[in-house]
Amino acid sequence: MTSSVSESIPTTQKKLGKTGVLIVNLGTPDSPSTPDVRKYLREFLMDGRVIDIPYIQRFMLVNLIIAPFRAPKSAKVYKELWLPEGSPLKIYGERVEKLLQDELGDSYVVKLAMRYQNPAIEVGLLEFQKMGLTEIIVVPFFPQYASATTGSVYEEVMRVLAKWQVMPELRFVNQFVNHPKFIQGFVQNAQKYMAEYEFDYFLFSYHGLPERQISKGDITGKVCRLGECCGSLTAMNQHCYRAQCFETTRLLVKALNIPEGKYVTSFQSRLGKTPWVQPYTEDTIKELASKGIKSVLAFSPAFVSDCLETTIEVGEEYKELFEESGGKHWQLVESLNDSPIWIETLVDLVKNA
């Protein structure tokens, strides 16, 4: 009896036709120890898209000043954040990897990667290479596009693939600021707090960037003014990080029925003395308290996984600042983490990339 064609195909070739899905977050130290934190900071900050100054200046700044002096302080904060299983960012990433794989099924191969440290992008892609995949879809976990985040992931993926003799079809998810389920996820998380407490004000805090990086993105040299130009998302500013952040706020405000005059968009995590995108979250918090605002519901919609910048910076340090300035009640809305609606968002992003 003649065997069918499918039965005669070797096991390794049965994998052909699958789609690889590389989900990528920023990264985390391997441990909260000072050496591992220093190693992470060096890799992260030596990226020319993160600190966009000439290499020699960047090398000296990172290796002689920032990493040696900041690592011990950051290590203390990471120890506060760390869970028994490890870094929350990595824990949520591993859960999402499994949940997304289960949801997508056998036609897909899902792998988690970090732009910095482990698991590395290159390792994930080399595993894909051995599988003979037809297509690879890269999904950076950054809702708003920025050269320092999504752009850096693109560059690293292209660096690795440039060495391949045969390249499969490649697709990238650029941003998902207006994806309905992404918005709905934060809305659901916020509604439970809004049902329990009547907040005076709502703060939407995004990770900051140097103003020069925003300006560089305006290839016309005429659109970006770091102000009213972010009032709407248009064809000319659609890739502007600041404009995308304001768009995310507008969509969340509309979905939550927050009245005008009751919310603000601001930017956190400044580094160095050069101007960063404004308004600054720290200054905004002090101003709100000085105006008599007593309760704030805070969002961090630039992050889909809770991490140092959300749990510690927004959830604890900004809470302390608000209370020291005269505020009474501060509540952080958690990120999407491994929630069902985040998995639904990713399924849609993959299938409609």
Side-chain angles (χ1 to χ4, degrees), residues 23-30 40 44 78 81-83 85-97 112-119 140-143 300 302-311 335-338 342:
I23 54 174
V24 187
N25 214 329
L26 189 71
T28 178
D30 290 333
Y40 169 73
F44 171 39
Y78 273 112
L81 175 73
W82 222 255
L83 299 174
E85 310 96 303
S87 166
L89 191 77
K90 191 172 181 180
I91 292 169
Y92 286 125
E94 290 170 343
R95 291 176 185 171
V96 169
E97 178 186 46
L112 169 70
M114 298 293 177
R115 175 59 187 90
Y116 311 104
Q117 296 298 285
N118 301 301
F141 274 15
F142 312 114
S300 215
F303 300 91
V304 295
S305 300
D306 278 317
C307 54
L308 187 147
E309 286 84 359
T310 62
T311 304
S335 296
L336 304 185
N337 296 325
D338 57 351
W342 175 224

Side-chain angles (χ1 to χ4, degrees), residues 33 67 116 152 172 189 198 213 279 315 340:
S33 69
Y116 311 104
S152 182
F172 290 99
N189 288 347
E198 187 172 346
Q213 291 189 12

